[in-house]
Amino acid sequence: MTTSIFEERKDQIHRTGQGPFELACNRDSLAGAVSQRACVFCGSRVVLYPIADALHLVHGPIGCAAYTWDIRGALSSGPELHRLSFSTDLREKDVIFGGEPKLTAALDELIDRHQPKAAFVYSTCIVGLIGDDLKAVCKSMSEKKGIPVLPVQSEGFKGNKREGYLAACKAMFELVGTKDDPEIPPVSVNIFGDFNLAGEIWIIREYLERMGVSVIANVTGDGRVDDIRRCHGAALNLVQCSGATLDLAKMMEEKYGIPYLRVSYLGVEDMAQALYDVADHFADKDPDIVARTGALVREELANLLPELKKLRADLEGKRAAIYVGGAFKAFSLIKAFRHLGMRVCIVGSQTGTREDYEELAAITDPGTIIVDDANPLELSAFIKEKDVDVFVGGVKERPIAFKLGVGFCDHNHERKIALEGFVGMLNFAREIHASAMSPVWRFVPRRAKALCNAPKEAGA
Amino acid sequence: MSTTTPYVSTTNACKLCTPLGACMAFKGIEGAVPFLHGSQGCATYMRRYIISHFREPVDIASSALGEKHAVYGGGPNLKKGILNVMQKYGAKLVGVATTCLTETIGDDVPMIVEEFRKEFGDLDLPEIVSVSTPSFAGTHMEGFHAAVRAVAEQLAGESVPHHGGLNLFPGMVSPADTRHLRDICDDHGLAACILPDVSETLDGPALLDYERIPSGGTPLADIKAMPGAAASIEFGHSLPGRRTAGTFLKKTHGVPCFQLPLPIGLRGSDAFFAALGEISGKEPHPRHERDRGRLVDAFVDGHKYIFGKRAVVYGEEDLVAGLVEFLSEIGVHVVLAATGSEKTGLPSSIRKTCDELGLKMPEVREGADFHEIAELAEQLEPDLVVGHSKGYRSARKWNVPLVRVGFPIHDRFGGQRLRILGYQGAQELFDRIVNAVLEKNQSDSPVGYGYL
Ligand code: SF4
Ligand code: SF4
């Protein structure tokens, strides 16, 4: 029996407490290892796609656009242009002679047809190779149509998702500051790094409104081009998630002097902390805000905690595994599981940084497996080793868990249940409860075997 | 003829990319790991896409090329990747499909594979089948057929004893349909080498262990023995005139080849059973005769509910052609048949169906996307949409039922267990169509019916 760990990947796996922390990360994926990672294009697409009144044109062969057609749960309260999948669908002729004429024609007709507020043009691997001058095409289209047409340099092979985040931020930065709005109030924020999956941004906005904070732009869930153009007028950027929009916040800090706060809306403490941090930030402008925020949190917790307690009674002592795109989310999930009385024994991400993993090593129990850029063989081996009850991950991880008879909770961009905010914590707890407590696990081979063996072991 | 303005951009494609089809074909072979030679993203996206339909692990390896490989060639990574797959997965076959990236940089995969075989000749090497699948020159269906052909070409043995079995190339059909086809062949006493056979690999049981490669799939030994078969049958309207696995075996090894439409509906199934009878020299098991009788009986019982209903059909060319035949048989009026592929022979095969049944030719579109399908359909006022999940938005907008058939089915449960082939498959599809119409009548009715 061969082991499940590739020799080359040994240093991308760490066990908390076993030796000093050392973990290699941000490496290229290993050939043949069936990484769960996507590409640069994927990173850009994730970030920009929720801008609902923009045209998102994928310049490349059909697959890249087809596979990303409306796969996310990013909801819009108005326009839904983002849910369509536009592609230049490059053919042999375009590959040989260049795809610029086709791109120009495609933009021309799509902008006329949909009248978007802006257009994002994503380059894919092949475009990088054939050398189409995306910038030039976009520039002349901008002039012709009178809307911003923005190139997104997201050739898939030029790195992993993180590079895609940067490409997306660069494209958005072109928009920021192109429209002034003198009406913006002094206690105001932009919400960065939330994609409004299952309407989550609406939950957060509601909290902020109750606190008396105006939200200027959603970047990017339920996003609008005009909001992004004027968002440099806000007083503060709230940046969620480790990578996606942090670069944009930094660029805005540098150019417009807007400070940013890093927050997470997942779990009880992090959600409350996010609101308190915002309140503290504005305390000198609005002295009552701290008290209002305290009241809000208390009110929400009064509803939430009794419900959580009921679920916790069942879940106490169960084991969880986490494998997500960005490591930042994992921090919140670990805390959320503690609220449910559960122990996290495996935690990993596709694109964590050294600092992320160090922090994971610091907050997890001894023996917890920490892994960077895992693959199905490793994940399945870890699940078995730790005998987990619930796995939190994305669609590609689901069948791994299910095959092994382990509960699963979808926590990626495709989710349809809101998991942010206090209400999201309750949804999360309910989903974990439903995932772990179903009677079906009694019948899967993993448990069925345990049941058969039990009397024998007891007798022995 | 309805008209739409021609346009160059694609909105909501009605096709997928070529290597995805190749991966689906490789997934149905014993011990196989599909391997995409290209950047990581393509493999991950395809895995995700396939997983959400089948709800099964779908491991597709990638040579995970980065910038420097794009410049200097991907050969070293391809070799390293094959080595990893072979050592970690214990692959018996590595199915290497190219992507747009490696086609564009011009990697010569057969040559790299040859080098690999020489370099690592001392190891216990798996079979390596390579297929060229640039997505800018085809769709997933082309990739699928090309991979099946590549497997036959690269693995079929030279001097194989005659064994009288059957080679069955079913096309891209569901695991449940594949199982059904096997039963039908068994009932004719024909040992069938079904290539690919996804019946278990994409619809497996709950297990104690994670299988590195799911059990099942076409046995490699059977593939090697294909030249010794009594005949080949391959399904697909689009196949005649193309280079296929069946034509290869015929040309090179003299195995007679029956090219049939997908056996969807009564006449399609009749043709399949007739071919099996001819090859085996046996009458089918009486149960099939009874299935057929029950199907005709159901046609009669249900005809009034669906007669003259106007249907829009889309999807892969072979499937669409088959569905049009079936819908025409039962009195549903197909008003639009569309596929994302080009030059598929779809118009002529639909014309043939219409001529045989004395029907009016529907609108037929090749190279269509959902923008075009929707634009046309809006003028045609359909009552019913038949195709995969991606037509849901349109069906919802028009407030007509969508009968889900084919791949992908991302918004319903059990896509891998849908049967449409043979008399039994036709029965299930017929029931679903009639019920979709009844459900709509019921929900539209102000009073609601208890009896229909
Ligand atoms: S690059 Fe080609 S192979 Fe890869 S996803 Fe895009 S279309 Fe498919
Ligand atoms: S072709 Fe490149 S950009 Fe497109 S999916 Fe593949 S890796 Fe990503």
Side-chain angles (χ1 to χ4, degrees), chain A residues 165-215:
Chain A
Y165 297 154
L166 182 59
C169 288
K170 281 185 181 158
M172 281 193 289
F173 195 55
E174 298 279 303
L175 275 182
V176 172
T178 54
K179 205 176 184 181
D180 282 318
D181 181 352
E183 308 277 276
I184 293 178
V187 178
S188 57
V189 299
N190 297 313
I191 298 182
F192 273 29
D194 195 288
F195 304 114
N196 200 34
L197 308 173
E200 288 171 335
I201 224 169
W202 299 328
I203 298 172
I204 308 306
R205 283 186 71 123
E206 197 234 347
Y207 295 155
L208 291 168
E209 274 156 27
R210 278 160 67 189
M211 287 162 57
V213 178
S214 304
V215 178

Side-chain angles (χ1 to χ4, degrees), chain B residues 91-112:
Chain B
K92 288 190 196 163
L93 182 143
V94 181
V96 183
T98 56
T99 60
C100 303
L101 175 71
T102 46
E103 286 288 336
T104 309
I105 60 178
D107 269 3
D108 183 343
V109 172
M111 196 191 76
I112 300 170

Side-chain angles (χ1 to χ4, degrees), chain A residues 33 73 128-129 158 242 267 457:
Chain A
L129 291 174
K158 290 194 168 156
S242 50
E457 277 164 17

Side-chain angles (χ1 to χ4, degrees), chain A residues 138-249:
Chain A
C138 289
K139 188 155 176 281
S140 68
M141 235 345 119
S142 264
E143 281 157 16
K144 183 170 171 197
K145 301 288 178 190
I147 58 162
V149 179
L150 303 156
V152 186
Q153 302 293 155
S154 53
E155 293 85 349
F157 60 80
K158 290 194 168 156
N160 63 37
K161 239 174 164 176
R162 300 185 73 87
E163 268 78 21
Y165 297 154
L166 182 59
C169 288
K170 281 185 181 158
M172 281 193 289
F173 195 55
E174 298 279 303
L175 275 182
V176 172
T178 54
K179 205 176 184 181
D180 282 318
D181 181 352
E183 308 277 276
I184 293 178
V187 178
S188 57
V189 299
N190 297 313
I191 298 182
F192 273 29
D194 195 288
F195 304 114
N196 200 34
L197 308 173
E200 288 171 335
I201 224 169
W202 299 328
I203 298 172
I204 308 306
R205 283 186 71 123
E206 197 234 347
Y207 295 155
L208 291 168
E209 274 156 27
R210 278 160 67 189
M211 287 162 57
V213 178
S214 304
V215 178
I216 306 309
N218 299 332
V219 180
T220 54
D222 198 15
R224 299 291 182 274
V225 171
D226 282 344
D227 289 343
I228 298 174
R229 296 179 62 179
R230 67 181 183 131
C231 79
H232 58 296
L236 176 68
N237 284 331
L238 293 182
V239 184
Q240 187 180 224
C241 183
S242 50
T245 50
L246 188 59
D247 292 313
L248 182 63

Side-chain angles (χ1 to χ4, degrees), chain A residues 403, chain B residues 54-56 174-176 179 198-205 214-215 414-418:
Chain A
K403 264 297 153 206
Chain B
F54 291 99
R55 296 167 184 264
E56 290 286 313
S174 78
R179 288 192 285 268
V198 294
S199 58
E200 286 173 58
T201 54
L202 287 176
D203 193 12
S215 329
Q416 71 275 45
R417 287 181 289 275
L418 286 182

Side-chain angles (χ1 to χ4, degrees), chain A residues 22 29 32 93 96 116 180 182 213 236 242 267 288 306 331 381 384 415 421 453:
Chain A
E22 261 182 72
S29 294
K93 184 177 108 255
I96 298 166
D180 282 318
V213 178
L236 176 68
S242 50
D288 293 337
F331 303 143
K384 285 203 62 158
R415 64 178 185 259
N453 287 346

Side-chain angles (χ1 to χ4, degrees), chain B residues 37-70:
Chain B
H37 186 34
S39 30
Q40 180 63 50
C42 310
T44 307
Y45 271 137
M46 288 179 219
R47 287 180 61 211
R48 183 224 152 261
Y49 207 85
I50 303 174
I51 286 171
S52 28
H53 175 92
F54 291 99
R55 296 167 184 264
E56 290 286 313
V58 177
D59 290 3
I60 297 173
S62 161
S63 46
L65 300 185
E67 188 141 28
K68 64 176 189 291
H69 313 107

